[in-house]
């Protein structure tokens, strides 16, 4: 007891100098009422935004709020746009819109009627037309990167769209003709529309042969051939619908080029050239149809022969 008491006295007086055995340490580890060391106090961490002490608010349970259904205003269906384009001829559909605006139409019409015969399809014709309309000389620039090509396109468009009224003026001649004779006459009437500007048409063809203008020229040529066949009364619905229009497009382009070098009176040589080409196309079409009929008959006969031999076809 004396030894234990002495050790306890030394532990309380000099705690760092105690070096005792394991049993004595276990005795020393018994809970005693000692003073707790003072903890180091740190200042409260401040918020970087509000410069106030950060406090933790008690979390409140979220309650699902009953959301009232939103009443949407009655929706009306959008108005259906009017059909302004057509891919076939029909009297019940409106004509396609013009590719030219009203301002462009006014300027190009003035150039065609007043200055093309003198200056041809050139930029001076458009400049003089702008002056006639009290516009600036730079006004033709709003026609696009190629005002001259735009002028030629306008001539092709107007001559094609005025062809129905021209056909109605010659209705007495068209009434007693066959379909082939009708489109020959209609093609000739369209060629005659180039007569006032024929001396400048080679220049126009050279402009429209440029790669950037080929799509416009081909499209106008295809629509012209379709217009001629429609006015002639063609009602074919078989693949010949395409072959007829393709053949007429090629014939018309050749006749138009021939007309630029024709010096005969009234362009009679051009009309004879047109009739020969149309007759050749009709004969070739008849020959192709005959060959097609022969091939179809031979193929059908061969299939029937193989079936009679027991071949499952």
């Amino acid at each position: 007891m004396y030894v234990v008491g002495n050790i306890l006295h030394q532990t309380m007086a000099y705690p760092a100098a105690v070096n005792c055995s394991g049993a004595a340490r276990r005795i020393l580890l018994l809970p005693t009422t000692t003073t707790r060391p003072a903890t180091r106090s740190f200042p409260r961490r401040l918020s970087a935004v509000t410069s106030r002490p950060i406090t933790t608010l008690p979390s409140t349970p979220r309650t699902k709020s009953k959301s009232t259904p939103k009443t949407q205003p009655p929706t009306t269906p959008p108005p259906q746009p009017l059909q302004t384009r057509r891919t076939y001829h029909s009297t019940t559909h409106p004509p396609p819109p013009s590719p030219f605006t009203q301002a462009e139409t006014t300027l190009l019409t003035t150039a065609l009627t007043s200055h093309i015969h003198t200056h041809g399809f050139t930029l001076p014709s458009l400049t003089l037309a702008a002056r006639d309309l009290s516009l600036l000389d730079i006004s033709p620039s709003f026609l696009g990167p190629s005002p001259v090509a735009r002028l030629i396109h306008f001539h092709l468009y107007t001559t094609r769209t005025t062809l129905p009224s021209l056909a109605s003026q010659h209705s007495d001649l068209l009434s007693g003709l066959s379909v082939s004779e009708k489109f020959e006459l209609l093609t000739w009437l369209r060629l005659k529309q180039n007569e006032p500007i024929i001396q400048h048409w080679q220049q126009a063809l050279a402009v429209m042969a440029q790669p950037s203008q080929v799509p416009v020229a081909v499209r106008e040529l295809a629509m012209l051939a379709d217009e001629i066949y429609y006015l002639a009364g063609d009602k074919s619905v078989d693949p010949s619908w395409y072959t007829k229009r393709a053949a007429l497009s090629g014939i018309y382009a050749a006749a138009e080029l021939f007309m630029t070098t024709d010096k005969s009176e009234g362009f009679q040589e051009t009309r004879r050239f047109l009739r020969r080409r149309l007759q050749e196309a009709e004969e070739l079409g008849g020959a192709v149809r005959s060959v097609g009929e022969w091939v179809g008959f031979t193929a059908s006969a061969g299939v029937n022969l193989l079936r009679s031999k027991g071949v499952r076809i």
Side-chain angles (χ1 to χ4, degrees):
M1 278 306 284
Y2 176 77
V3 174
V4 174
N6 192 13
I7 291 173
L8 290 174
H9 177 72
Q10 293 180 3
T11 302
M12 296 177 64
Y14 309 100
V18 176
N19 186 9
C20 56
S21 62
R25 285 178 184 170
R26 285 194 294 272
I27 295 174
L28 292 176
L29 291 175
L30 293 175
T32 57
T33 57
T34 58
T35 307
R36 209 171 170 184
T39 59
R40 186 177 178 182
S41 62
F42 294 91
R44 288 186 177 182
R45 186 160 53 93
L46 301 180
S47 173
V49 178
T50 60
S51 299
R52 294 181 181 178
I54 298 176
T55 57
T56 306
L57 297 176
S59 61
T60 57
R62 296 182 178 179
T63 59
K64 295 183 179 180
S65 60
K66 295 182 180 181
S67 58
T68 59
K70 297 181 178 179
T71 59
Q72 298 180 354
T75 58
T76 58
Q80 297 294 333
L82 295 177
Q83 186 176 1
T84 58
R85 293 185 179 275
R86 59 175 180 169
T87 56
Y88 60 94
H89 286 286
S90 175
T91 56
T92 59
H93 287 71
S98 172
F100 304 92
T101 62
Q102 185 62 36
E104 291 176 342
T105 302
T106 303
L107 178 62
L108 294 172
T109 302
T110 306
L112 279 177
T113 56
S114 303
H115 304 286
I116 291 296
H117 307 84
T118 307
H119 299 87
F121 294 92
T122 58
L123 192 58
S125 297
L126 293 170
T127 303
L128 293 174
R131 292 178 183 176
D132 294 343
L133 297 173
S134 300
L135 299 175
L136 298 176
D137 292 351
I138 201 174
S139 299
S141 61
F142 75 87
L143 294 173
S146 181
V148 174
R150 194 72 169 164
L151 178 60
I152 301 171
H153 182 200
F154 183 74
H155 170 74
L156 296 174
Y157 173 78
T158 52
T159 51
R160 175 175 59 83
T161 53
T162 56
L163 190 60
S165 61
L166 191 61
S168 62
Q169 296 175 9
H170 296 79
S171 58
D172 53 343
L173 296 176
L174 295 170
S175 58
L177 300 178
S178 63
V179 174
S180 58
E181 293 173 341
K182 284 181 181 179
F183 70 74
E184 187 268 331
L185 178 59
L186 290 170
T187 305
W188 173 245
L189 292 177
R190 171 59 188 88
L191 287 171
K192 288 286 287 183
Q193 289 180 301
N194 290 341
E195 185 176 0
I197 46 90
I198 194 62
Q199 66 273 18
H200 305 292
W201 194 238
Q202 277 190 350
Q203 177 188 8
L205 293 177
V207 173
M208 298 307 290
Q210 296 176 2
S212 59
Q213 305 301 328
V214 167
V216 177
V218 171
R219 182 175 181 273
E220 282 294 331
L221 183 60
M223 295 181 70
L224 174 63
D226 186 37
E227 190 77 28
I228 290 174
Y229 266 100
Y230 171 72
L231 295 175
D234 180 64
K235 298 181 180 179
S236 59
V237 293
D238 54 351
S240 65
W241 190 96
Y242 301 96
T243 57
K244 288 178 180 179
R245 284 154 178 79
L248 181 58
S249 299
I251 293 172
Y252 176 82
E256 194 175 50
L257 185 61
F258 183 87
M259 189 177 180
T260 58
T261 59
D262 187 8
K263 304 299 182 182
S264 62
E265 183 179 359
F267 300 97
Q268 291 301 316
E269 291 295 332
T270 301
R271 188 162 191 179
R272 296 190 188 97
F273 175 85
L274 175 64
R275 286 175 176 173
R276 289 196 300 269
R277 299 290 84 80
L278 290 175
Q279 186 177 2
E280 291 172 359
E282 188 175 359
E283 293 175 355
L284 179 61
V288 170
R289 284 192 298 270
S290 300
V291 171
E293 291 176 0
W294 178 83
V295 170
F297 175 78
T298 305
S300 178
V303 169
N304 292 332
L305 178 62
L306 293 176
R307 286 177 178 174
S308 64
K309 299 296 183 179
V311 180
R312 294 182 178 181
I313 299 177

